[in-house]
């Protein structure tokens, strides 16, 4: 199941809570809401606007009068806020380009066959002290090797070198690791399109640079 399918499943599950006279304390809703927040955090970052908004949504009135018909009030606010969340998720779903997910699927399948070795990409959230000078030197050496590689046509060289600069800038930025990975993964998919020969020759070096930057493969 790709990410777009996961999001569609979350949307469909969320719709099942409408019209059931439920409130924010329902255990199935709480589990669903946690899954939604986790999905958004993984895709856009823990500190992203979408994640903060969803985590701050109450699904209940912020104030209510004791002795009033609070059950009806809680149901009303629950369904109002849930409807907002579902609308936002559907907008996110519509904004996702299907080819990005197909590209990711192709990437996951193709990377297993490079050089006969399975390559696993996992986010390692452990602290890593990165030497900025070493990263710069490694990138420059890799770029030099590619520039001198006569098997790569000049047009591809320009694109590849630009993508390597993007990876280096992402590695040295202060954005969360998961946000780095979202962008870097798209770049790796692009580089895989340059052919198996290129991937076999240079992907291991790129993976090493990722590991040096704290994203372990």
């Amino acid at each position: 199941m790709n990410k777009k399918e996961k999001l569609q499943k979350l949307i469909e599950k969320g719709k099942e809570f409408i019209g059931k006279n439920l409130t924010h304390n329902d255990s199935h809703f709480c589990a669903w809401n946690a899954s939604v927040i986790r999905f958004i955090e993984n895709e856009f970052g823990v500190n992203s606007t979408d994640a903060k908004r969803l985590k701050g949504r109450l699904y209940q009135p912020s104030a209510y009068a004791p002795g009033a018909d609070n059950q009806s009030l809680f149901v009303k606010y629950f369904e109002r806020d849930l409807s907002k969340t579902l609308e936002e998720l559907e907008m996110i779903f519509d904004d996702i380009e299907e080819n990005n997910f197909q590209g990711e699927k192709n990437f996951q399948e193709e990377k297993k066959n490079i050089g006969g070795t399975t390559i696993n990409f996992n986010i390692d959230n452990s602290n890593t002290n990165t030497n900025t000078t070493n990263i710069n030197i490694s990138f420059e050496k890799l770029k030099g090797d590619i520039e001198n590689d006569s098997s790569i046509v000049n047009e591809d060289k320009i694109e590849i070198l630009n993508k390597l600069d993007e990876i280096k800038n992402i590695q040295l930025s202060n954005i969360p690791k998961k946000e780095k990975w979202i962008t870097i993964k798209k770049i790796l998919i692009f580089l895989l399109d340059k052919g198996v020969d290129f991937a076999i020759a240079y992907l291991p070096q790129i993976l090493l640079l990722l590991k040096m930057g704290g994203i372990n493969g």
Side-chain angles (χ1 to χ4, degrees), residues 90-151:
E90 288 177 340
M91 291 178 67
I92 292 172
F93 181 89
D94 291 339
D95 287 340
I96 293 174
E97 295 183 9
E98 185 65 45
N99 60 347
N100 285 342
F101 287 92
Q102 184 60 44
E104 179 181 343
K105 179 180 179 181
N106 293 339
F107 169 59
Q108 296 295 336
E109 293 175 350
E110 186 172 352
K111 69 184 176 62
K112 293 180 181 179
N113 300 319
I114 296 175
T117 303
T118 298
I119 303 170
N120 294 317
F121 291 86
N122 296 312
I123 299 299
D124 185 346
N125 290 322
S126 60
N127 292 327
T128 303
N129 294 323
T130 303
N131 188 305
T132 301
T133 302
N134 287 340
I135 286 182
N136 286 329
I137 292 174
S138 297
F139 268 102
E140 293 308 314
K141 181 181 183 304
L142 179 58
K143 289 174 64 177
D145 291 342
I146 293 173
E147 287 177 338
N148 295 324
D149 191 334
S150 59
S151 66

Side-chain angles (χ1 to χ4, degrees), residues 64-80:
Y64 57 94
D69 184 8
N70 289 326
Q71 175 66 22
S72 298
L73 183 64
F74 272 65
V75 170
K76 175 182 177 181
Y77 274 80
F78 170 79
E79 296 203 350
R80 185 199 66 176

Side-chain angles (χ1 to χ4, degrees), residues 14-15 17-24 29 32 53-54 56-63 71-89:
K15 290 180 179 178
F17 298 123
I18 300 293
K20 300 291 181 64
N21 205 38
L22 301 177
T23 68
H24 69 290
F29 164 75
W32 174 85
R53 183 174 60 254
L54 288 175
R57 187 156 290 158
L58 300 177
Y59 298 94
Q60 62 176 313
S62 57
Q71 175 66 22
S72 298
L73 183 64
F74 272 65
V75 170
K76 175 182 177 181
Y77 274 80
F78 170 79
E79 296 203 350
R80 185 199 66 176
D81 285 355
L82 178 56
S83 295
K84 288 181 181 179
T85 296
L86 290 172
E87 288 176 6
E88 291 168 6
L89 293 178

